[in-house]
Amino acid sequence: MTHAASLPATWSYRSRTVRLALWAGWLALVALFVWCWQIMTQTTIWAFVLDAPRQAADIGARMVPPKWGYLPELMLPLWDTLNIATLGTMGGVILAVPVALMAARNTTPSATILRPIALFVIVASRSINSLIWALLLVTIIGPGLLAGIIAIALRSIGFIGKLFYEAIEETDPTQIEAIEATGAGPVQVLTYGVVPQVMPTLWGISVFRWDINIRESTILGLVGAGGIGLKLNASMAVLAWDQVTVILLLILGTVIASEWVAAWVRRTII
């Protein structure tokens, strides 16, 4: 009887204190949103925003019909873009593999020194966009394809390295222990115990990154790193919107083709 008397008259999913805390949290979230909106729009010229639909319609009208005669001039820049993505991905894989081996707990030679350094390299690479890498490299080594290739490679290290070192850490330890039981050294354990387990993953990551790099390479020309982005920047600078249409359609077709190639490679090799 005493226990029944202590129960509340009506059952509630949340207590009154919890409900008040939730309402206070939602109120704080709305206030934060309003404050951020005011900061973001304090320099906005709303007359331009209201006029944006008319401007967009005007540019859209100038983009049609596309200037298909401009297409032959884009073949060499497109080839440069594909080379930037492919060579940059290859460079990223070559640099990312040793970084991943140093970052993985089960393969790193030094968990106190080399592993933190490798993790820092991965984080630093992923923190800086390829366009920023290209901008820095164009300033350092000058404009051209080399800056674009190195920018893609530096950006790819973090992506490939992170996924690859996680795959290394998830390898089956029993296979590694079996090889160690035969008296194999560290290099042999790595070669016959770790590499066969992670190679399909490395292929998948590399192809996936190449597919991403195709997209990223198309805009590197905006900062002088070569490729079809140079043509896009030049056409926009002279307001040749019919040429811009051709470039955008060509980029779209290239991305679709790269998606198909990447999917085919994954099905065939992995």
Side-chain angles (χ1 to χ4, degrees):
M1 295 295 293
T2 306
H3 177 69
S6 63
L7 294 175
T10 57
W11 181 84
S12 177
Y13 179 69
R14 294 188 178 95
S15 65
R16 184 171 180 271
T17 303
V18 174
R19 291 199 302 270
L20 290 174
L22 286 174
W23 278 107
W26 280 109
L27 183 62
L29 184 62
V30 171
L32 178 63
F33 175 80
V34 172
W35 179 62
C36 293
W37 177 262
Q38 290 177 344
I39 292 178
M40 290 188 298
T41 60
Q42 61 184 353
T43 58
T44 301
I45 302 176
W46 291 105
F48 289 168
V49 176
L50 296 175
D51 190 51
R54 187 182 66 83
Q55 295 293 339
D58 179 59
I59 292 177
R62 298 183 186 184
M63 296 178 72
V64 180
K67 187 178 180 181
W68 296 112
Y70 187 60
L71 190 60
E73 297 184 33
L74 301 176
M75 293 298 101
L76 181 58
L78 178 62
W79 176 247
D80 291 340
T81 297
L82 295 176
N83 283 328
I84 290 173
T86 304
L87 296 177
T89 303
M90 293 173 59
V93 172
I94 293 172
L95 295 173
V97 168
V99 172
L101 291 173
M102 289 189 293
R105 291 184 178 89
N106 54 340
T107 57
T108 181
S110 173
T112 57
I113 299 177
L114 292 181
R115 186 170 189 269
I117 293 175
L119 292 176
F120 174 78
V121 171
I122 291 173
V123 172
S125 171
R126 295 173 63 228
S127 301
I128 304 176
N129 190 272
S130 57
L131 198 62
I132 306 300
W133 280 120
L135 186 62
L136 293 173
L137 289 166
V138 166
T139 304
I140 296 172
I141 64 178
L145 300 182
L146 181 61
I149 293 171
I150 299 176
I152 291 295
L154 293 177
R155 173 64 172 171
S156 301
I157 292 174
F159 181 92
I160 298 172
K162 177 176 174 57
L163 296 180
F164 191 47
Y165 95 76
E166 290 177 349
I168 294 173
E169 291 183 341
E170 293 173 359
T171 52
D172 184 9
T174 57
Q175 182 175 338
I176 299 174
E177 291 170 359
I179 295 175
E180 289 176 340
T182 64
V187 177
Q188 293 172 313
V189 171
L190 180 65
T191 303
Y192 299 104
V194 177
V195 172
Q197 296 188 60
V198 298
M199 277 306 295
T201 302
L202 179 60
W203 276 107
I205 295 170
S206 302
V207 173
F208 183 39
R209 186 63 213 183
W210 174 78
D211 186 27
I212 296 174
N213 287 339
I214 291 289
R215 299 174 177 85
E216 296 195 353
S217 299
T218 58
I219 63 172
L220 295 186
L222 298 177
V223 295
I228 200 169
L230 286 173
K231 290 292 187 179
L232 178 61
N233 191 33
S235 296
M236 294 179 65
V238 297
L239 305 180
W241 299 111
D242 52 353
Q243 296 180 8
V244 171
T245 305
V246 176
I247 296 173
L248 294 179
L249 291 175
L250 184 59
I251 291 174
L252 176 62
T254 304
V255 170
I256 293 174
S258 70
E259 288 274 1
W260 182 84
V261 171
W264 178 81
V265 170
R266 285 194 293 266
R267 289 195 306 267
T268 304
I269 298 180
I270 302 173

